[in-house]
Amino acid sequence: MPLLEGKKALIFGIANHRSIGWAIAQSLAAEGAQLAFSYQERMEKYVRDLAAKLPGTEVMECDVQNDEQLDSAFVRASEIFNGELDILIHSVAYAPPRELENPFYDTTREGFHTTLDISTYSLIAMAKRAFPLMQARGGGSMLTMTYMASERVVPKYNAMAVAKAALECSVRFLAYELGEHNIRVNAISAGPLNTLAARGVSGLTQFREHMNVAAPLRRNIDQSEVGDAALFLCSHLARAITGEIMFVDAGYNIMGFGDTK
Ligand SMILES: NC(=O)c1ccc[n+]([C@@H]2O[C@H](COP(=O)([O-])OP(=O)(O)OC[C@H]3O[C@@H](n4cnc5c(N)ncnc54)[C@H](O)[C@@H]3O)[C@@H](O)[C@H]2O)c1
């Protein structure tokens, strides 16, 4: 039987065919999950076109900064999935461009708020709304996307790095509180991928080239490898794993000083 036969999954954060969220959608669908996508208004056309490639996938609009739109998205998901949800994918992040260009010490109050609101608070806001739908199923799995800059300085990641540190901390608190309801909460820390969001951070191309020599696997990762790791974490194979930050980065994070060849 497919790993996710009969499972219901709601995915936030698909913008186009390069999105990590789209790779996750494909991995989950390949193992039998029924999907719904939530999109940001300006991405509607791309998301509808992608959803059409996975028969039965529903779509709904939601700006994660707007509580009413979050409420509506979860009401709609509840209608689609008969009041039940097994899997929530949070693959959403944004920082105003200036916050990724200027020095970190020049971070603005407004830019800091926006970055943490969209990239971090939105997970908490979604978890609260997904909770009753997962309780109706006797449990579930929530998954978010983070990045190593939460722990180590990656120049220019700036406020987004702070957002990722807060996101990882939020994963642990949510995992603790929801664990008694058999709801697991985890994060994948992905290596650098060429997506819309990543293009906002300067040096992405050089970093991807650096992976070819510095990562233990001597290569980059691709979106499908994150999708498959997400499939694992959302399936019963990972039923004892929660509060975890799992690296999918060809091993880059274990290195101190890399090969000088
Ligand atoms: N690409 C990488 O190198 C990389 C590495 C590690 C982690 N990540 C993380 O993966 C996640 C997905 O990013 P991606 O790389 O696939 O890029 P992406 O641009 O395809 O996805 C980001 C998504 O966030 C959505 N979003 C932004 N603001 C929103 C808002 N106000 N309301 C609703 N949605 C909003 C966008 O519409 C988009 O769908 C992000 O959390 C990102 O930080 C990316």
Side-chain angles (χ1 to χ4, degrees), residues 80-114:
I80 295 166
F81 294 140
N82 294 322
E84 299 174 336
L85 186 67
D86 299 285
I87 295 166
L88 172 71
I89 305 293
H90 173 274
S91 189
V92 173
Y94 176 79
R98 81 171 298 289
E99 306 303 345
L100 302 175
E101 289 157 7
N102 293 345
F104 180 66
Y105 60 70
D106 201 20
T107 301
T108 65
R109 190 183 300 275
E110 193 190 349
F112 188 86
H113 281 168
T114 300

Side-chain angles (χ1 to χ4, degrees), residues 15-130:
N16 57 36
H17 70 284
R18 292 180 191 273
S19 294
I20 293 172
W22 172 236
I24 294 174
Q26 291 173 280
S27 291
L28 301 189
E31 287 296 329
Q34 183 192 350
L35 304 181
F37 299 164
S38 175
Y39 61 84
Q40 197 180 10
E41 188 182 8
R42 64 196 178 98
M43 306 301 175
E44 177 170 1
K45 184 188 173 328
Y46 305 104
V47 177
R48 284 194 184 278
D49 288 351
L50 292 172
K53 295 180 191 221
L54 300 174
T57 301
E58 301 271 352
V59 298
M60 67 198 78
E61 185 184 322
C62 178
D63 185 315
V64 302
Q65 288 194 284
N66 184 317
D67 281 329
E68 282 157 20
Q69 288 191 27
L70 276 164
D71 286 339
S72 306
F74 277 87
V75 167
R76 181 76 192 107
S78 179
E79 287 165 5
I80 295 166
F81 294 140
N82 294 322
E84 299 174 336
L85 186 67
D86 299 285
I87 295 166
L88 172 71
I89 305 293
H90 173 274
S91 189
V92 173
Y94 176 79
R98 81 171 298 289
E99 306 303 345
L100 302 175
E101 289 157 7
N102 293 345
F104 180 66
Y105 60 70
D106 201 20
T107 301
T108 65
R109 190 183 300 275
E110 193 190 349
F112 188 86
H113 281 168
T114 300
T115 305
L116 270 90
D117 187 25
I118 296 178
S119 314
T120 308
Y121 179 73
S122 61
L123 174 68
I124 303 165
M126 286 179 205
K128 177 182 173 180
R129 291 166 173 85

Side-chain angles (χ1 to χ4, degrees), residues 159-177:
M160 185 61 85
V162 180
K164 293 304 190 191
L167 182 72
E168 293 173 17
C169 187
S170 304
V171 164
R172 289 186 285 271
F173 272 85
L174 291 169
Y176 166 65
E177 289 186 352

